[in-house]
Amino acid sequence: CFLASTANAKEHKLESWYLYFAIGYADLTYPEGIDATVEALQKQDGVSHASLDLDLLGVYWPLKNRKTLLGVNLNGGGDRFEAGPVSLQLNQLQISFSTMHFLTDMIGKGLFLRGDVGFGSLNIDVSAGSSLSLNESSEAGLGLTFGGGYSFPVSSGTRIILNTNYSVKRIEGESFGKFNISVGGLF
């Protein structure tokens, strides 16, 4: 059905600005101390684990070449571990200047490359029910993202985007990474 609707989509038009959102899977990496804790939790029986990547909000403007978008994007990736009432949430956040360059004849159609540069941070939230709660955030560091994907126009104003990206962040002298695969919408 998806391919049929893509083939029948009206020729999409170039917008004066775009909103972008995406959701997907994240594989996060951490410095040695945090990584040892994450690996121990992943091996432990009775501990559930979920990883998620979100492009929470991107706002982009097209260049006159009709192939490139420039804008700002807020991205987050998280690991959540739960065992009964105890939970650990590790979030990598990045707010960036972002660009998407389409290798075809128009924005929102076909293969594209993506690059982001901005500020990255880490947030750790530990909760043991109502009796204990700890929330710590790092200072801001440098965040870089690079990747690409494929975009399908599904109507004159909507595009579905498949992404794969890698992010690296340098926060408080430590290196953090995130590989993600996601599906999004460009409106």
Side-chain angles (χ1 to χ4, degrees):
C1 289
F2 175 75
L3 293 176
S5 68
T6 302
N8 295 329
K10 296 178 189 174
E11 183 64 32
H12 70 285
K13 62 180 180 172
L14 189 64
E15 307 287 346
S16 59
W17 62 283
Y18 295 85
L19 286 178
Y20 172 68
F21 305 93
I23 186 169
Y25 167 76
D27 181 17
L28 291 92
T29 57
Y30 303 96
E32 191 174 310
I34 297 173
D35 193 52
T37 302
V38 167
E39 286 183 15
L41 287 170
Q42 289 173 334
K43 293 176 184 174
Q44 203 168 42
D45 289 336
V47 175
S48 65
H49 174 229
S51 294
L52 183 67
D53 183 74
L54 293 171
D55 278 308
L56 300 169
L57 176 63
V59 180
Y60 291 89
W61 293 268
L63 295 182
K64 291 185 184 205
N65 69 7
R66 301 175 57 91
K67 295 181 178 188
T68 306
L69 293 172
L70 294 179
V72 293
N73 189 47
L74 176 59
N75 175 271
D79 273 324
R80 183 167 183 86
F81 299 91
E82 289 185 353
V86 178
S87 67
L88 170 64
Q89 177 80 35
L90 302 160
N91 298 315
Q92 293 183 21
L93 304 170
Q94 184 175 324
I95 187 163
S96 303
F97 293 104
S98 179
T99 184
M100 291 185 200
H101 178 75
F102 290 83
L103 302 176
T104 57
D105 61 342
M106 185 174 277
I107 289 168
K109 191 166 120 181
L111 289 171
F112 70 93
L113 300 173
R114 175 178 168 180
D116 298 3
V117 61
F119 300 103
S121 67
L122 177 71
N123 175 266
I124 300 174
D125 185 55
V126 180
S127 177
S130 60
S131 62
L132 173 68
S133 182
L134 171 68
N135 189 308
E136 292 289 328
S137 293
S138 72
E139 294 180 12
L142 177 64
L144 301 171
T145 299
F146 53 92
Y150 197 85
S151 179
F152 303 91
V154 292
S155 74
S156 64
T158 305
R159 296 107 184 131
I160 301 296
I161 294 186
L162 304 175
N163 291 282
T164 185
N165 301 303
Y166 184 76
S167 299
V168 63
K169 297 168 191 69
R170 188 78 177 158
I171 302 168
E172 296 183 3
E174 301 280 344
S175 292
F176 297 81
K178 178 175 61 75
F179 172 78
N180 74 282
I181 298 171
S182 62
V183 62
L186 184 66
F187 308 97

